[in-house]
Amino acid sequence: DAKTTQPPSMDCAEGRAANLPCNHSTISGNEYVYWYRQIHSQGPQYIIHGLKNNETNEMASLIITEDRKSSTLILPHATLRDTAVYYCIVRVATSGNTPLVFGKGTRLSVIA
Amino acid sequence: GAVVSQHPSWVICKSGTSVKIECRSLDFQATTMFWYRQFPKQSLMLMATSNEGSKATYEQGVEKDKFLINHASLTLSTLTVTSAHPEDSSFYICSARFTGGNQPQHFGDGTRLSIL
């Protein structure tokens, strides 16, 4: 699976949009981009994933560039409860049993 | 709601004790589950892949005789830390995935293991 690069930390004011970038310049055509977050002392929580098109759900939006070499996770109105480590992971979508491999992620701090 | 349940959430025990952690998939069958370990201020590290009805696959550097994995049913995998020592103290997290294609992987809430 392709590697990803994320900034180690970011701050965001409460109520503002949080835009978390991720570079995955070696992504291949059959690899999806997944986003998870981990709130302190909890297991990772699935947020969203996508292949080419932008995706939106109740938690966030995922914007993938046309060349698919980078993506941005957008939390439209960040709250204090969104403070967490956010992981961007690229993985081949197969019917096999390939686990997610976690990098260091971005520590997002939402500030009141 | 939670789709993967992990129990117990917190264990404190003496050195030399064996500790069993359970991971259950709720409302779906998981032929494969994954076990991760996380030390303070570090990312999750994959320990092993648990396969229903067959032997687990361990990552390099993980002792299979130390971390016993049993996946006897499609909804339950267990991790037993045998003869635990203080260096085994960590946050253990299990995960399961719906079968097929690009389905996301879901995680339990983790088990914090403290060995005195």
Side-chain angles (χ1 to χ4, degrees), chain B residues 71-96:
Chain B
H71 193 156
S73 79
L74 289 171
T75 59
L76 173 64
S77 175
T78 61
L79 168 69
T80 301
V81 183
T82 61
S83 187
H85 292 286
E87 58 267 28
D88 298 322
S89 298
S90 189
F91 192 49
Y92 292 86
I93 308 167
C94 74
S95 177

Side-chain angles (χ1 to χ4, degrees), chain A residues 35-39 42-48 59, chain B residues 105 107:
Chain A
W35 282 85
Y36 284 77
R37 72 179 182 184
Q38 187 179 24
I39 295 169
Q42 296 182 22
Q45 177 188 23
Y46 166 76
I47 301 174
I48 199 166
M59 289 183 69
Chain B
Q105 199 171 308
F107 291 80

Side-chain angles (χ1 to χ4, degrees), chain B residues 37 45-47 58-64 66-67:
Chain B
R37 180 168 54 181
M45 290 181 57
L46 180 68
M47 297 176 67
Y58 290 83
E59 296 299 299
Q60 191 173 9
V62 178
E63 299 174 56
K64 62 180 181 181
K66 174 99 176 145
F67 299 99

Side-chain angles (χ1 to χ4, degrees), chain A residues 21-73:
Chain A
C22 179
N23 285 325
H24 31 79
S25 58
T26 60
I27 193 170
S28 58
N30 62 347
E31 288 182 313
Y32 281 71
V33 180
Y34 290 82
W35 282 85
Y36 284 77
R37 72 179 182 184
Q38 187 179 24
I39 295 169
H40 184 62
S41 294
Q42 296 182 22
Q45 177 188 23
Y46 166 76
I47 301 174
I48 199 166
H49 73 285
L51 181 63
K52 298 184 208 178
N53 299 323
N54 298 336
E55 302 288 343
T56 296
N57 63 21
E58 65 278 4
M59 289 183 69
S61 294
L62 173 60
I63 308 299
I64 303 174
T65 57
E66 193 169 341
D67 63 7
R68 304 213 316 126
K69 293 185 177 183
S70 65
S71 60
T72 302
L73 179 74

Side-chain angles (χ1 to χ4, degrees), chain A residues 6-28:
Chain A
Q6 298 177 253
S9 63
M10 291 181 63
D11 292 338
C12 178
E14 189 179 19
R16 303 297 294 271
N19 298 287
L20 292 94
C22 179
N23 285 325
H24 31 79
S25 58
T26 60
I27 193 170
S28 58

